[in-house]
Amino acid sequence: VFDPHDGDLRKRINSSVKYSNMDEINIFLYYRGYGEWVNGQPLLIPKNAKFDRHVTKYPIEDLIESLATISILNSIKTITLFLDITYINPEKSSGSVWDFPELPEKISILSASSNGETSQIYEEKKHSFFTYSLLKGLAGAADDGDNVINLGEITEYVYRSVPRYAEQIPGKIKQNPSFNGKDLKRTILDLR
């Protein structure tokens, strides 16, 4: 899917530019799934992964590297990645020095949790705390009144709401979203 040279994402980008008469496109990727920390590195667990075979899992670093390679296309204005990962062993990342690699200006990442934490489910809402907050923010709760939601507004809203929801559930562990990138001014949703 993410192969920067012949993957599905690149084919869709080329097709969009060719048939839509747009010069530039914004790409929004949302990933909700499971992950695992192995040897200080976060890995995504695909549906067909073998639990005891780490080679069948997908390193987040490889995902970021592929997106960085794709981002050099002139037709791509921005890439915004929302990562909602439930880690099966979040304690393995506690105190870890791992962080996202240096990101190109075009790429920004909003993650559901920080190192040592995991995305948790909001049973009452049938979503994770992160997804529920993200959707509520996109529905207008993050708007500052101008009917345009930028990445800074949605990030601030998620930063405030996720920990608040998490602490209301008895027995839940803390969860604090994290942001990586430089461009908080990019428009995520224009409600005008």
Side-chain angles (χ1 to χ4, degrees):
V1 170
F2 298 110
D3 182 324
H5 307 292
D6 195 34
D8 189 53
L9 183 60
R10 180 168 185 139
K11 290 176 185 173
R12 289 175 185 261
I13 292 166
N14 290 339
S15 177
S16 293
V17 170
K18 182 177 180 179
Y19 296 111
S20 68
N21 294 324
M22 293 187 300
D23 294 330
E24 292 182 315
I25 60 173
N26 295 303
I27 298 173
F28 297 94
L29 297 169
Y30 168 82
Y31 176 85
R32 168 73 188 125
Y34 288 98
E36 180 178 13
W37 285 84
V38 177
N39 298 323
Q41 299 294 312
L43 307 175
L44 301 177
I45 303 174
K47 190 175 184 176
N48 61 349
K50 305 277 188 243
F51 181 74
D52 59 343
R53 303 250 350 219
H54 300 310
V55 72
T56 65
K57 299 166 187 166
Y58 189 60
I60 290 179
E61 206 160 315
D62 289 358
L63 169 64
I64 304 304
E65 186 178 303
S66 293
L67 292 176
T69 302
I70 288 174
S71 76
I72 64 169
L73 294 174
N74 290 333
S75 57
I76 295 177
K77 185 176 179 183
T78 63
I79 298 175
T80 307
L81 178 59
F82 300 104
L83 287 177
D84 191 359
I85 303 171
T86 298
Y87 289 101
I88 60 174
N89 62 345
E91 67 283 348
K92 294 270 184 172
S93 70
S94 186
S96 174
V97 295
W98 188 89
D99 199 1
F100 289 93
E102 184 71 25
L103 298 174
E105 296 251 351
K106 292 182 179 182
I107 299 177
S108 291
I109 302 169
L110 181 57
S111 300
S113 59
S114 301
N115 286 353
E117 301 172 355
T118 187
S119 179
Q120 300 173 78
I121 300 299
Y122 195 170
E123 298 290 342
E124 181 182 320
K125 302 297 182 184
K126 306 293 187 223
H127 285 294
S128 67
F129 296 128
F130 177 79
T131 295
Y132 179 72
S133 296
L134 182 64
L135 293 174
K136 193 170 178 180
L138 291 172
D143 184 27
D144 65 2
D146 64 358
N147 289 326
V148 176
I149 298 174
N150 64 36
L151 186 54
E153 291 170 328
I154 199 74
T155 298
E156 181 182 332
Y157 181 77
V158 167
Y159 267 46
R160 281 184 290 125
S161 61
V162 168
R164 190 178 70 234
Y165 292 135
E167 67 188 24
Q168 291 176 5
I169 308 299
K172 294 291 182 180
I173 58 174
K174 69 178 184 164
Q175 180 181 341
N176 297 290
S178 64
F179 175 79
N180 293 71
K182 298 176 179 95
D183 181 13
L184 288 167
K185 298 281 187 213
R186 70 178 59 167
T187 298
I188 300 297
L189 187 62
D190 190 336
L191 301 170
R192 294 178 286 182

